[in-house]
Amino acid sequence: MTTGSGDAGMVTAETAAVLPVLALVAAVALWGIAAVASQVRCGDAAREAARAAARGESAAQVRSAATRAAPAGARVVISEGPDALVSVTVEARVGPLGRWLPATTVSGTAVAERETRPVG
């Protein structure tokens, strides 16, 4: 069976029409992966900082522990609650691919109870 010579041009036209859509889907997928990776890093940074605070380290050391593990430019909030609880929230703005896709804010929070030293 033979096909007409016009079919070859049709495939090229369909590919040209679909290519921008595929590029957009790939860009959105990369944006989502970057946002999820930053979310995980914020959660890890908050847990590390909360553990440091629970051990009784200074606020500067706790903040340093959080910023080492957090995405660049992250904001760290340390708050002390009742019953010797300390809460650390790490928040970062994620704008992958420059200005091509919108930026979003991700955060992670961890709570830990301050350790008490044994008497004696």
Side-chain angles (χ1 to χ4, degrees):
M1 199 182 275
T2 61
T3 60
S5 63
D7 289 345
M10 187 67 155
V11 172
T12 303
E14 289 172 353
T15 303
V18 171
L19 202 54
V21 173
L22 292 176
L24 180 63
V25 168
V28 169
L30 288 174
W31 178 83
I33 290 168
V36 169
S38 294
Q39 172 77 37
V40 169
R41 287 185 64 194
C42 284
D44 290 345
R47 279 189 294 278
E48 187 174 328
R51 283 193 301 269
R55 288 190 303 264
E57 295 183 17
S58 70
Q61 290 171 319
V62 171
R63 192 170 303 282
S64 175
T67 54
R68 275 194 313 268
R75 186 174 70 101
V76 179
V77 177
I78 304 165
S79 59
E80 304 234 4
D83 302 327
L85 291 179
V86 63
S87 173
V88 178
T89 299
V90 177
E91 186 177 274
R93 191 110 169 108
V94 181
L97 303 176
R99 296 181 217 177
W100 294 100
L101 291 173
T104 187
T105 302
V106 295
S107 65
T109 302
V111 178
E113 186 175 0
R114 288 200 180 270
E115 297 176 1
T116 55
R117 309 254 181 216
V119 179

